[in-house]
Amino acid sequence: VLEPLVVGERCSVPCKVSLVPGIVVPPDTAFGPLSSSYEIGDGSTTHGPDEGFDGNARYCRQRFPEPAWYLKLPGYLVLVVVWLVEQVPVLIVLRLIVIFPWYMKEISTYVDVLRWFLTPERIGYYVALRVLRTTALPLLRVAMCIVVKRVLVGKFTEGPRERNQWYKFKHWLMARLLPGEKLQEAAHLVGAHYEGVSVILRC
């Protein structure tokens, strides 16, 4: 179990690939999805530095090509807009906290700061912020991602990925709009069963 594991240069090891201790992975080895080191040498792993994105290496997420910079710039703008819309419920609650009568216009001492935060009427708003971040924000983000996908990205087609800049941009943007952890937050609300998540993914 404690024997060293040696991985050669330019190897491609996707997620969920099992490598056992004590083996040596030859250079330029590319494992397929859900494979293991036991498949080395049986023809299921591709070799050769020139295979590039045509062999098993195309399934390694870290080697997915990114779009050009001139597509990334509007992509980052879309990400900022989605984040701002996602924070609207929180900003509304914060605005309500500020405009209510207990707001202190002049805070000059640490005691004033404590009074500002510990006013009993604020507790309900603090609870509301926590509830919104746990419930409304994940669903709102999913809704915004669906809007962006319908309006800008479009439908994904099955089969190998195309290599033009637009398809690279589509995959790059969606991977950042709704990463796995964000989808998992929404799945906790709609139910982790296949139906709810399937509806989201098919939108």
Side-chain angles (χ1 to χ4, degrees), residues 140-177:
L140 188 57
R141 184 176 188 88
V142 168
M144 286 298 301
C145 290
I146 292 175
V147 171
V148 172
K149 183 175 181 291
R150 291 288 184 89
V151 175
L152 179 63
V153 175
K155 185 179 180 180
F156 288 97
T157 56
E158 61 183 12
R161 292 190 179 189
E162 297 188 28
R163 303 186 185 184
N164 59 59
Q165 291 295 328
W166 176 245
Y167 273 82
K168 292 178 183 178
F169 171 74
K170 288 169 55 174
H171 286 278
W172 176 86
L173 181 61
M174 289 305 301
R176 283 154 181 77
L177 275 176

PDB file of all heavy atoms in Angstrom, residues 140-177:
ATOM      1  N   LEU A 140     -32.208  30.754  -7.756  1.00  0.00           N
ATOM      2  CA  LEU A 140     -32.109  31.914  -8.642  1.00  0.00           C
ATOM      3  C   LEU A 140     -30.929  31.770  -9.588  1.00  0.00           C
ATOM      4  O   LEU A 140     -31.017  32.141 -10.767  1.00  0.00           O
ATOM      5  CB  LEU A 140     -31.984  33.190  -7.812  1.00  0.00           C
ATOM      6  CG  LEU A 140     -32.057  34.518  -8.573  1.00  0.00           C
ATOM      7  CD1 LEU A 140     -33.359  34.610  -9.363  1.00  0.00           C
ATOM      8  CD2 LEU A 140     -31.948  35.689  -7.600  1.00  0.00           C
ATOM      9  N   ARG A 141     -29.834  31.224  -9.105  1.00  0.00           N
ATOM     10  CA  ARG A 141     -28.670  31.016  -9.978  1.00  0.00           C
ATOM     11  C   ARG A 141     -28.998  29.998 -11.069  1.00  0.00           C
ATOM     12  O   ARG A 141     -28.632  30.193 -12.237  1.00  0.00           O
ATOM     13  CB  ARG A 141     -27.467  30.545  -9.162  1.00  0.00           C
ATOM     14  CG  ARG A 141     -26.215  30.408 -10.026  1.00  0.00           C
ATOM     15  CD  ARG A 141     -24.997  30.041  -9.222  1.00  0.00           C
ATOM     16  NE  ARG A 141     -23.791  30.107 -10.041  1.00  0.00           N
ATOM     17  CZ  ARG A 141     -23.050  31.171 -10.221  1.00  0.00           C
ATOM     18  NH1 ARG A 141     -23.405  32.310  -9.644  1.00  0.00           N
ATOM     19  NH2 ARG A 141     -21.963  31.144 -10.965  1.00  0.00           N
ATOM     20  N   VAL A 142     -29.670  28.920 -10.697  1.00  0.00           N
ATOM     21  CA  VAL A 142     -30.055  27.926 -11.698  1.00  0.00           C
ATOM     22  C   VAL A 142     -30.974  28.562 -12.742  1.00  0.00           C
ATOM     23  O   VAL A 142     -30.829  28.317 -13.948  1.00  0.00           O
ATOM     24  CB  VAL A 142     -30.739  26.725 -11.026  1.00  0.00           C
ATOM     25  CG1 VAL A 142     -31.393  25.823 -12.062  1.00  0.00           C
ATOM     26  CG2 VAL A 142     -29.727  25.927 -10.212  1.00  0.00           C
ATOM     27  N   ALA A 143     -31.920  29.377 -12.283  1.00  0.00           N
ATOM     28  CA  ALA A 143     -32.835  30.042 -13.216  1.00  0.00           C
ATOM     29  C   ALA A 143     -32.077  30.960 -14.171  1.00  0.00           C
ATOM     30  O   ALA A 143     -32.346  30.979 -15.386  1.00  0.00           O
ATOM     31  CB  ALA A 143     -33.885  30.832 -12.443  1.00  0.00           C
ATOM     32  N   MET A 144     -31.107  31.715 -13.659  1.00  0.00           N
ATOM     33  CA  MET A 144     -30.323  32.598 -14.512  1.00  0.00           C
ATOM     34  C   MET A 144     -29.470  31.793 -15.499  1.00  0.00           C
ATOM     35  O   MET A 144     -29.300  32.190 -16.657  1.00  0.00           O
ATOM     36  CB  MET A 144     -29.435  33.505 -13.660  1.00  0.00           C
ATOM     37  CG  MET A 144     -30.179  34.617 -12.948  1.00  0.00           C
ATOM     38  SD  MET A 144     -30.979  35.737 -14.132  1.00  0.00           S
ATOM     39  CE  MET A 144     -29.560  36.306 -15.070  1.00  0.00           C
ATOM     40  N   CYS A 145     -28.937  30.665 -15.048  1.00  0.00           N
ATOM     41  CA  CYS A 145     -28.144  29.830 -15.946  1.00  0.00           C
ATOM     42  C   CYS A 145     -29.002  29.284 -17.078  1.00  0.00           C
ATOM     43  O   CYS A 145     -28.557  29.191 -18.228  1.00  0.00           O
ATOM     44  CB  CYS A 145     -27.512  28.681 -15.161  1.00  0.00           C
ATOM     45  SG  CYS A 145     -26.208  29.194 -14.026  1.00  0.00           S
ATOM     46  N   ILE A 146     -30.247  28.927 -16.758  1.00  0.00           N
ATOM     47  CA  ILE A 146     -31.156  28.432 -17.797  1.00  0.00           C
ATOM     48  C   ILE A 146     -31.454  29.537 -18.812  1.00  0.00           C
ATOM     49  O   ILE A 146     -31.488  29.305 -20.022  1.00  0.00           O
ATOM     50  CB  ILE A 146     -32.452  27.904 -17.160  1.00  0.00           C
ATOM     51  CG1 ILE A 146     -32.153  26.637 -16.345  1.00  0.00           C
ATOM     52  CG2 ILE A 146     -33.503  27.609 -18.225  1.00  0.00           C
ATOM     53  CD1 ILE A 146     -33.335  26.113 -15.576  1.00  0.00           C
ATOM     54  N   VAL A 147     -31.658  30.769 -18.317  1.00  0.00           N
ATOM     55  CA  VAL A 147     -31.915  31.897 -19.214  1.00  0.00           C
ATOM     56  C   VAL A 147     -30.716  32.132 -20.139  1.00  0.00           C
ATOM     57  O   VAL A 147     -30.868  32.293 -21.360  1.00  0.00           O
ATOM     58  CB  VAL A 147     -32.242  33.170 -18.405  1.00  0.00           C
ATOM     59  CG1 VAL A 147     -32.290  34.389 -19.320  1.00  0.00           C
ATOM     60  CG2 VAL A 147     -33.567  33.007 -17.678  1.00  0.00           C
ATOM     61  N   VAL A 148     -29.509  32.148 -19.565  1.00  0.00           N
ATOM     62  CA  VAL A 148     -28.305  32.370 -20.371  1.00  0.00           C
ATOM     63  C   VAL A 148     -28.135  31.244 -21.385  1.00  0.00           C
ATOM     64  O   VAL A 148     -27.777  31.484 -22.548  1.00  0.00           O
ATOM     65  CB  VAL A 148     -27.067  32.479 -19.465  1.00  0.00           C
ATOM     66  CG1 VAL A 148     -25.785  32.518 -20.291  1.00  0.00           C
ATOM     67  CG2 VAL A 148     -27.161  33.718 -18.596  1.00  0.00           C
ATOM     68  N   LYS A 149     -28.401  30.017 -20.957  1.00  0.00           N
ATOM     69  CA  LYS A 149     -28.249  28.878 -21.871  1.00  0.00           C
ATOM     70  C   LYS A 149     -29.248  28.975 -23.020  1.00  0.00           C
ATOM     71  O   LYS A 149     -28.897  28.717 -24.180  1.00  0.00           O
ATOM     72  CB  LYS A 149     -28.445  27.568 -21.116  1.00  0.00           C
ATOM     73  CG  LYS A 149     -28.229  26.332 -21.970  1.00  0.00           C
ATOM     74  CD  LYS A 149     -28.319  25.087 -21.124  1.00  0.00           C
ATOM     75  CE  LYS A 149     -28.075  23.840 -21.984  1.00  0.00           C
ATOM     76  NZ  LYS A 149     -29.163  23.600 -22.941  1.00  0.00           N
ATOM     77  N   ARG A 150     -30.502  29.349 -22.719  1.00  0.00           N
ATOM     78  CA  ARG A 150     -31.516  29.440 -23.767  1.00  0.00           C
ATOM     79  C   ARG A 150     -31.240  30.604 -24.731  1.00  0.00           C
ATOM     80  O   ARG A 150     -31.426  30.480 -25.940  1.00  0.00           O
ATOM     81  CB  ARG A 150     -32.890  29.611 -23.129  1.00  0.00           C
ATOM     82  CG  ARG A 150     -33.407  28.378 -22.381  1.00  0.00           C
ATOM     83  CD  ARG A 150     -33.805  27.282 -23.337  1.00  0.00           C
ATOM     84  NE  ARG A 150     -34.393  26.140 -22.671  1.00  0.00           N
ATOM     85  CZ  ARG A 150     -35.694  26.019 -22.417  1.00  0.00           C
ATOM     86  NH1 ARG A 150     -36.538  26.983 -22.764  1.00  0.00           N
ATOM     87  NH2 ARG A 150     -36.150  24.940 -21.813  1.00  0.00           N
ATOM     88  N   VAL A 151     -30.801  31.738 -24.180  1.00  0.00           N
ATOM     89  CA  VAL A 151     -30.655  32.952 -24.985  1.00  0.00           C
ATOM     90  C   VAL A 151     -29.305  33.007 -25.692  1.00  0.00           C
ATOM     91  O   VAL A 151     -29.212  33.378 -26.869  1.00  0.00           O
ATOM     92  CB  VAL A 151     -30.846  34.204 -24.103  1.00  0.00           C
ATOM     93  CG1 VAL A 151     -30.571  35.472 -24.906  1.00  0.00           C
ATOM     94  CG2 VAL A 151     -32.255  34.238 -23.534  1.00  0.00           C
ATOM     95  N   LEU A 152     -28.233  32.659 -24.998  1.00  0.00           N
ATOM     96  CA  LEU A 152     -26.884  32.864 -25.524  1.00  0.00           C
ATOM     97  C   LEU A 152     -26.209  31.569 -25.969  1.00  0.00           C
ATOM     98  O   LEU A 152     -25.711  31.472 -27.090  1.00  0.00           O
ATOM     99  CB  LEU A 152     -26.020  33.558 -24.472  1.00  0.00           C
ATOM    100  CG  LEU A 152     -24.560  33.821 -24.848  1.00  0.00           C
ATOM    101  CD1 LEU A 152     -24.485  34.769 -26.036  1.00  0.00           C
ATOM    102  CD2 LEU A 152     -23.799  34.409 -23.652  1.00  0.00           C
ATOM    103  N   VAL A 153     -26.186  30.591 -25.109  1.00  0.00           N
ATOM    104  CA  VAL A 153     -25.396  29.385 -25.369  1.00  0.00           C
ATOM    105  C   VAL A 153     -26.079  28.475 -26.377  1.00  0.00           C
ATOM    106  O   VAL A 153     -25.457  27.990 -27.327  1.00  0.00           O
ATOM    107  CB  VAL A 153     -25.129  28.627 -24.049  1.00  0.00           C
ATOM    108  CG1 VAL A 153     -24.419  27.310 -24.323  1.00  0.00           C
ATOM    109  CG2 VAL A 153     -24.294  29.494 -23.112  1.00  0.00           C
ATOM    110  N   GLY A 154     -27.344  28.216 -26.200  1.00  0.00           N
ATOM    111  CA  GLY A 154     -28.046  27.306 -27.094  1.00  0.00           C
ATOM    112  C   GLY A 154     -27.952  25.861 -26.643  1.00  0.00           C
ATOM    113  O   GLY A 154     -27.383  25.541 -25.598  1.00  0.00           O
ATOM    114  N   LYS A 155     -28.467  24.977 -27.444  1.00  0.00           N
ATOM    115  CA  LYS A 155     -28.542  23.558 -27.106  1.00  0.00           C
ATOM    116  C   LYS A 155     -27.239  22.853 -27.412  1.00  0.00           C
ATOM    117  O   LYS A 155     -26.613  23.089 -28.438  1.00  0.00           O
ATOM    118  CB  LYS A 155     -29.690  22.901 -27.879  1.00  0.00           C
ATOM    119  CG  LYS A 155     -29.927  21.448 -27.515  1.00  0.00           C
ATOM    120  CD  LYS A 155     -31.099  20.883 -28.299  1.00  0.00           C
ATOM    121  CE  LYS A 155     -31.352  19.421 -27.931  1.00  0.00           C
ATOM    122  NZ  LYS A 155     -32.495  18.850 -28.688  1.00  0.00           N
ATOM    123  N   PHE A 156     -26.828  21.981 -26.496  1.00  0.00           N
ATOM    124  CA  PHE A 156     -25.655  21.148 -26.736  1.00  0.00           C
ATOM    125  C   PHE A 156     -26.067  19.905 -27.520  1.00  0.00           C
ATOM    126  O   PHE A 156     -27.147  19.360 -27.312  1.00  0.00           O
ATOM    127  CB  PHE A 156     -25.007  20.729 -25.411  1.00  0.00           C
ATOM    128  CG  PHE A 156     -24.294  21.847 -24.717  1.00  0.00           C
ATOM    129  CD1 PHE A 156     -24.919  22.560 -23.703  1.00  0.00           C
ATOM    130  CD2 PHE A 156     -23.005  22.192 -25.060  1.00  0.00           C
ATOM    131  CE1 PHE A 156     -24.273  23.595 -23.055  1.00  0.00           C
ATOM    132  CE2 PHE A 156     -22.344  23.226 -24.417  1.00  0.00           C
ATOM    133  CZ  PHE A 156     -22.978  23.929 -23.413  1.00  0.00           C
ATOM    134  N   THR A 157     -25.202  19.470 -28.399  1.00  0.00           N
ATOM    135  CA  THR A 157     -25.487  18.287 -29.194  1.00  0.00           C
ATOM    136  C   THR A 157     -24.600  17.139 -28.748  1.00  0.00           C
ATOM    137  O   THR A 157     -23.470  17.345 -28.287  1.00  0.00           O
ATOM    138  CB  THR A 157     -25.250  18.567 -30.688  1.00  0.00           C
ATOM    139  OG1 THR A 157     -23.899  19.039 -30.881  1.00  0.00           O
ATOM    140  CG2 THR A 157     -26.213  19.630 -31.190  1.00  0.00           C
ATOM    141  N   GLU A 158     -25.124  15.933 -28.884  1.00  0.00           N
ATOM    142  CA  GLU A 158     -24.354  14.761 -28.473  1.00  0.00           C
ATOM    143  C   GLU A 158     -23.239  14.493 -29.467  1.00  0.00           C
ATOM    144  O   GLU A 158     -23.268  14.948 -30.610  1.00  0.00           O
ATOM    145  CB  GLU A 158     -25.283  13.553 -28.375  1.00  0.00           C
ATOM    146  CG  GLU A 158     -25.951  13.178 -29.676  1.00  0.00           C
ATOM    147  CD  GLU A 158     -26.919  12.034 -29.516  1.00  0.00           C
ATOM    148  OE1 GLU A 158     -27.232  11.695 -28.359  1.00  0.00           O
ATOM    149  OE2 GLU A 158     -27.358  11.481 -30.535  1.00  0.00           O
ATOM    150  N   GLY A 159     -22.252  13.722 -29.009  1.00  0.00           N
ATOM    151  CA  GLY A 159     -21.131  13.387 -29.881  1.00  0.00           C
ATOM    152  C   GLY A 159     -19.864  14.125 -29.482  1.00  0.00           C
ATOM    153  O   GLY A 159     -19.848  14.874 -28.495  1.00  0.00           O
ATOM    154  N   PRO A 160     -18.787  13.934 -30.213  1.00  0.00           N
ATOM    155  CA  PRO A 160     -17.517  14.605 -29.901  1.00  0.00           C
ATOM    156  C   PRO A 160     -17.656  16.127 -29.947  1.00  0.00           C
ATOM    157  O   PRO A 160     -18.447  16.669 -30.712  1.00  0.00           O
ATOM    158  CB  PRO A 160     -16.568  14.107 -31.007  1.00  0.00           C
ATOM    159  CG  PRO A 160     -17.201  12.852 -31.518  1.00  0.00           C
ATOM    160  CD  PRO A 160     -18.676  13.037 -31.375  1.00  0.00           C
ATOM    161  N   ARG A 161     -16.878  16.782 -29.116  1.00  0.00           N
ATOM    162  CA  ARG A 161     -16.906  18.241 -29.091  1.00  0.00           C
ATOM    163  C   ARG A 161     -16.300  18.814 -30.365  1.00  0.00           C
ATOM    164  O   ARG A 161     -15.268  18.326 -30.850  1.00  0.00           O
ATOM    165  CB  ARG A 161     -16.116  18.776 -27.893  1.00  0.00           C
ATOM    166  CG  ARG A 161     -16.731  18.475 -26.552  1.00  0.00           C
ATOM    167  CD  ARG A 161     -16.005  19.250 -25.480  1.00  0.00           C
ATOM    168  NE  ARG A 161     -16.578  18.996 -24.172  1.00  0.00           N
ATOM    169  CZ  ARG A 161     -16.252  19.677 -23.072  1.00  0.00           C
ATOM    170  NH1 ARG A 161     -15.334  20.630 -23.154  1.00  0.00           N
ATOM    171  NH2 ARG A 161     -16.807  19.391 -21.923  1.00  0.00           N
ATOM    172  N   GLU A 162     -16.950  19.837 -30.884  1.00  0.00           N
ATOM    173  CA  GLU A 162     -16.359  20.551 -32.009  1.00  0.00           C
ATOM    174  C   GLU A 162     -15.229  21.446 -31.496  1.00  0.00           C
ATOM    175  O   GLU A 162     -15.226  21.869 -30.340  1.00  0.00           O
ATOM    176  CB  GLU A 162     -17.427  21.380 -32.718  1.00  0.00           C
ATOM    177  CG  GLU A 162     -18.542  20.537 -33.328  1.00  0.00           C
ATOM    178  CD  GLU A 162     -19.471  21.370 -34.180  1.00  0.00           C
ATOM    179  OE1 GLU A 162     -19.022  22.393 -34.722  1.00  0.00           O
ATOM    180  OE2 GLU A 162     -20.652  20.993 -34.300  1.00  0.00           O
ATOM    181  N   ARG A 163     -14.308  21.776 -32.373  1.00  0.00           N
ATOM    182  CA  ARG A 163     -13.099  22.470 -31.939  1.00  0.00           C
ATOM    183  C   ARG A 163     -13.082  23.947 -32.292  1.00  0.00           C
ATOM    184  O   ARG A 163     -12.076  24.609 -32.094  1.00  0.00           O
ATOM    185  CB  ARG A 163     -11.873  21.784 -32.549  1.00  0.00           C
ATOM    186  CG  ARG A 163     -11.774  20.311 -32.194  1.00  0.00           C
ATOM    187  CD  ARG A 163     -10.483  19.715 -32.683  1.00  0.00           C
ATOM    188  NE  ARG A 163     -10.430  18.282 -32.459  1.00  0.00           N
ATOM    189  CZ  ARG A 163      -9.379  17.521 -32.734  1.00  0.00           C
ATOM    190  NH1 ARG A 163      -8.290  18.069 -33.246  1.00  0.00           N
ATOM    191  NH2 ARG A 163      -9.406  16.227 -32.500  1.00  0.00           N
ATOM    192  N   ASN A 164     -14.175  24.469 -32.832  1.00  0.00           N
ATOM    193  CA  ASN A 164     -14.160  25.891 -33.152  1.00  0.00           C
ATOM    194  C   ASN A 164     -14.308  26.711 -31.875  1.00  0.00           C
ATOM    195  O   ASN A 164     -14.703  26.208 -30.814  1.00  0.00           O
ATOM    196  CB  ASN A 164     -15.264  26.227 -34.168  1.00  0.00           C
ATOM    197  CG  ASN A 164     -16.651  25.879 -33.646  1.00  0.00           C
ATOM    198  OD1 ASN A 164     -17.072  26.396 -32.612  1.00  0.00           O
ATOM    199  ND2 ASN A 164     -17.368  25.006 -34.341  1.00  0.00           N
ATOM    200  N   GLN A 165     -13.996  27.996 -31.971  1.00  0.00           N
ATOM    201  CA  GLN A 165     -13.963  28.874 -30.806  1.00  0.00           C
ATOM    202  C   GLN A 165     -15.321  29.003 -30.128  1.00  0.00           C
ATOM    203  O   GLN A 165     -15.402  29.097 -28.904  1.00  0.00           O
ATOM    204  CB  GLN A 165     -13.440  30.254 -31.205  1.00  0.00           C
ATOM    205  CG  GLN A 165     -11.982  30.286 -31.568  1.00  0.00           C
ATOM    206  CD  GLN A 165     -11.106  29.946 -30.370  1.00  0.00           C
ATOM    207  OE1 GLN A 165     -11.435  30.239 -29.229  1.00  0.00           O
ATOM    208  NE2 GLN A 165      -9.973  29.312 -30.642  1.00  0.00           N
ATOM    209  N   TRP A 166     -16.409  29.011 -30.887  1.00  0.00           N
ATOM    210  CA  TRP A 166     -17.734  29.191 -30.289  1.00  0.00           C
ATOM    211  C   TRP A 166     -18.101  28.010 -29.395  1.00  0.00           C
ATOM    212  O   TRP A 166     -18.621  28.193 -28.299  1.00  0.00           O
ATOM    213  CB  TRP A 166     -18.785  29.386 -31.374  1.00  0.00           C
ATOM    214  CG  TRP A 166     -20.181  29.478 -30.836  1.00  0.00           C
ATOM    215  CD1 TRP A 166     -21.202  28.625 -31.039  1.00  0.00           C
ATOM    216  CD2 TRP A 166     -20.698  30.503 -29.957  1.00  0.00           C
ATOM    217  NE1 TRP A 166     -22.329  29.035 -30.372  1.00  0.00           N
ATOM    218  CE2 TRP A 166     -22.045  30.179 -29.700  1.00  0.00           C
ATOM    219  CE3 TRP A 166     -20.141  31.641 -29.376  1.00  0.00           C
ATOM    220  CZ2 TRP A 166     -22.850  30.963 -28.879  1.00  0.00           C
ATOM    221  CZ3 TRP A 166     -20.942  32.421 -28.553  1.00  0.00           C
ATOM    222  CH2 TRP A 166     -22.273  32.079 -28.317  1.00  0.00           C
ATOM    223  N   TYR A 167     -17.820  26.794 -29.838  1.00  0.00           N
ATOM    224  CA  TYR A 167     -18.135  25.628 -29.006  1.00  0.00           C
ATOM    225  C   TYR A 167     -17.226  25.560 -27.784  1.00  0.00           C
ATOM    226  O   TYR A 167     -17.658  25.140 -26.709  1.00  0.00           O
ATOM    227  CB  TYR A 167     -18.027  24.353 -29.840  1.00  0.00           C
ATOM    228  CG  TYR A 167     -19.308  24.015 -30.555  1.00  0.00           C
ATOM    229  CD1 TYR A 167     -19.636  24.635 -31.755  1.00  0.00           C
ATOM    230  CD2 TYR A 167     -20.208  23.103 -30.022  1.00  0.00           C
ATOM    231  CE1 TYR A 167     -20.809  24.345 -32.416  1.00  0.00           C
ATOM    232  CE2 TYR A 167     -21.397  22.801 -30.672  1.00  0.00           C
ATOM    233  CZ  TYR A 167     -21.689  23.424 -31.863  1.00  0.00           C
ATOM    234  OH  TYR A 167     -22.866  23.131 -32.494  1.00  0.00           O
ATOM    235  N   LYS A 168     -15.980  25.966 -27.936  1.00  0.00           N
ATOM    236  CA  LYS A 168     -15.106  26.050 -26.760  1.00  0.00           C
ATOM    237  C   LYS A 168     -15.667  27.050 -25.748  1.00  0.00           C
ATOM    238  O   LYS A 168     -15.660  26.817 -24.544  1.00  0.00           O
ATOM    239  CB  LYS A 168     -13.696  26.471 -27.183  1.00  0.00           C
ATOM    240  CG  LYS A 168     -12.959  25.438 -28.001  1.00  0.00           C
ATOM    241  CD  LYS A 168     -11.596  25.971 -28.417  1.00  0.00           C
ATOM    242  CE  LYS A 168     -10.860  24.983 -29.309  1.00  0.00           C
ATOM    243  NZ  LYS A 168      -9.545  25.512 -29.756  1.00  0.00           N
ATOM    244  N   PHE A 169     -16.174  28.191 -26.260  1.00  0.00           N
ATOM    245  CA  PHE A 169     -16.728  29.211 -25.383  1.00  0.00           C
ATOM    246  C   PHE A 169     -17.980  28.704 -24.666  1.00  0.00           C
ATOM    247  O   PHE A 169     -18.174  28.962 -23.473  1.00  0.00           O
ATOM    248  CB  PHE A 169     -17.065  30.464 -26.192  1.00  0.00           C
ATOM    249  CG  PHE A 169     -17.834  31.497 -25.428  1.00  0.00           C
ATOM    250  CD1 PHE A 169     -17.215  32.265 -24.460  1.00  0.00           C
ATOM    251  CD2 PHE A 169     -19.193  31.692 -25.669  1.00  0.00           C
ATOM    252  CE1 PHE A 169     -17.924  33.213 -23.739  1.00  0.00           C
ATOM    253  CE2 PHE A 169     -19.906  32.631 -24.955  1.00  0.00           C
ATOM    254  CZ  PHE A 169     -19.276  33.395 -23.995  1.00  0.00           C
ATOM    255  N   LYS A 170     -18.846  27.988 -25.367  1.00  0.00           N
ATOM    256  CA  LYS A 170     -20.071  27.474 -24.759  1.00  0.00           C
ATOM    257  C   LYS A 170     -19.769  26.556 -23.581  1.00  0.00           C
ATOM    258  O   LYS A 170     -20.345  26.702 -22.503  1.00  0.00           O
ATOM    259  CB  LYS A 170     -20.903  26.725 -25.812  1.00  0.00           C
ATOM    260  CG  LYS A 170     -21.558  27.624 -26.841  1.00  0.00           C
ATOM    261  CD  LYS A 170     -22.143  26.843 -27.996  1.00  0.00           C
ATOM    262  CE  LYS A 170     -23.103  25.780 -27.553  1.00  0.00           C
ATOM    263  NZ  LYS A 170     -23.775  25.124 -28.699  1.00  0.00           N
ATOM    264  N   HIS A 171     -18.857  25.625 -23.782  1.00  0.00           N
ATOM    265  CA  HIS A 171     -18.509  24.698 -22.702  1.00  0.00           C
ATOM    266  C   HIS A 171     -17.786  25.428 -21.574  1.00  0.00           C
ATOM    267  O   HIS A 171     -18.019  25.135 -20.385  1.00  0.00           O
ATOM    268  CB  HIS A 171     -17.637  23.569 -23.241  1.00  0.00           C
ATOM    269  CG  HIS A 171     -18.382  22.571 -24.070  1.00  0.00           C
ATOM    270  ND1 HIS A 171     -19.109  21.539 -23.521  1.00  0.00           N
ATOM    271  CD2 HIS A 171     -18.542  22.459 -25.414  1.00  0.00           C
ATOM    272  CE1 HIS A 171     -19.664  20.817 -24.465  1.00  0.00           C
ATOM    273  NE2 HIS A 171     -19.339  21.355 -25.633  1.00  0.00           N
ATOM    274  N   TRP A 172     -16.925  26.355 -21.914  1.00  0.00           N
ATOM    275  CA  TRP A 172     -16.193  27.126 -20.895  1.00  0.00           C
ATOM    276  C   TRP A 172     -17.145  27.932 -20.034  1.00  0.00           C
ATOM    277  O   TRP A 172     -17.025  27.959 -18.801  1.00  0.00           O
ATOM    278  CB  TRP A 172     -15.188  28.043 -21.593  1.00  0.00           C
ATOM    279  CG  TRP A 172     -14.444  28.963 -20.681  1.00  0.00           C
ATOM    280  CD1 TRP A 172     -13.304  28.693 -19.987  1.00  0.00           C
ATOM    281  CD2 TRP A 172     -14.799  30.313 -20.348  1.00  0.00           C
ATOM    282  NE1 TRP A 172     -12.921  29.780 -19.254  1.00  0.00           N
ATOM    283  CE2 TRP A 172     -13.816  30.795 -19.449  1.00  0.00           C
ATOM    284  CE3 TRP A 172     -15.842  31.146 -20.725  1.00  0.00           C
ATOM    285  CZ2 TRP A 172     -13.864  32.077 -18.925  1.00  0.00           C
ATOM    286  CZ3 TRP A 172     -15.888  32.425 -20.194  1.00  0.00           C
ATOM    287  CH2 TRP A 172     -14.915  32.887 -19.308  1.00  0.00           C
ATOM    288  N   LEU A 173     -18.115  28.599 -20.664  1.00  0.00           N
ATOM    289  CA  LEU A 173     -19.046  29.450 -19.930  1.00  0.00           C
ATOM    290  C   LEU A 173     -19.960  28.627 -19.027  1.00  0.00           C
ATOM    291  O   LEU A 173     -20.152  28.968 -17.851  1.00  0.00           O
ATOM    292  CB  LEU A 173     -19.876  30.276 -20.910  1.00  0.00           C
ATOM    293  CG  LEU A 173     -20.898  31.238 -20.284  1.00  0.00           C
ATOM    294  CD1 LEU A 173     -20.191  32.269 -19.409  1.00  0.00           C
ATOM    295  CD2 LEU A 173     -21.707  31.931 -21.372  1.00  0.00           C
ATOM    296  N   MET A 174     -20.525  27.547 -19.546  1.00  0.00           N
ATOM    297  CA  MET A 174     -21.446  26.752 -18.738  1.00  0.00           C
ATOM    298  C   MET A 174     -20.733  26.076 -17.572  1.00  0.00           C
ATOM    299  O   MET A 174     -21.320  25.907 -16.497  1.00  0.00           O
ATOM    300  CB  MET A 174     -22.130  25.702 -19.610  1.00  0.00           C
ATOM    301  CG  MET A 174     -23.150  26.269 -20.585  1.00  0.00           C
ATOM    302  SD  MET A 174     -24.429  27.285 -19.790  1.00  0.00           S
ATOM    303  CE  MET A 174     -25.155  26.123 -18.642  1.00  0.00           C
ATOM    304  N   ALA A 175     -19.472  25.709 -17.763  1.00  0.00           N
ATOM    305  CA  ALA A 175     -18.714  25.097 -16.670  1.00  0.00           C
ATOM    306  C   ALA A 175     -18.519  26.062 -15.514  1.00  0.00           C
ATOM    307  O   ALA A 175     -18.396  25.640 -14.359  1.00  0.00           O
ATOM    308  CB  ALA A 175     -17.364  24.602 -17.180  1.00  0.00           C
ATOM    309  N   ARG A 176     -18.507  27.367 -15.797  1.00  0.00           N
ATOM    310  CA  ARG A 176     -18.334  28.371 -14.750  1.00  0.00           C
ATOM    311  C   ARG A 176     -19.658  28.930 -14.252  1.00  0.00           C
ATOM    312  O   ARG A 176     -19.746  29.397 -13.121  1.00  0.00           O
ATOM    313  CB  ARG A 176     -17.435  29.501 -15.276  1.00  0.00           C
ATOM    314  CG  ARG A 176     -15.975  29.097 -15.293  1.00  0.00           C
ATOM    315  CD  ARG A 176     -15.158  29.849 -16.309  1.00  0.00           C
ATOM    316  NE  ARG A 176     -13.772  29.377 -16.284  1.00  0.00           N
ATOM    317  CZ  ARG A 176     -13.377  28.240 -16.834  1.00  0.00           C
ATOM    318  NH1 ARG A 176     -14.247  27.477 -17.473  1.00  0.00           N
ATOM    319  NH2 ARG A 176     -12.108  27.865 -16.764  1.00  0.00           N
ATOM    320  N   LEU A 177     -20.670  28.892 -15.075  1.00  0.00           N
ATOM    321  CA  LEU A 177     -21.989  29.343 -14.629  1.00  0.00           C
ATOM    322  C   LEU A 177     -22.596  28.390 -13.610  1.00  0.00           C
ATOM    323  O   LEU A 177     -23.158  28.824 -12.605  1.00  0.00           O
ATOM    324  CB  LEU A 177     -22.934  29.471 -15.830  1.00  0.00           C
ATOM    325  CG  LEU A 177     -22.900  30.764 -16.625  1.00  0.00           C
ATOM    326  CD1 LEU A 177     -23.838  30.664 -17.819  1.00  0.00           C
ATOM    327  CD2 LEU A 177     -23.289  31.961 -15.760  1.00  0.00           C
TER     328      LEU A 177
END
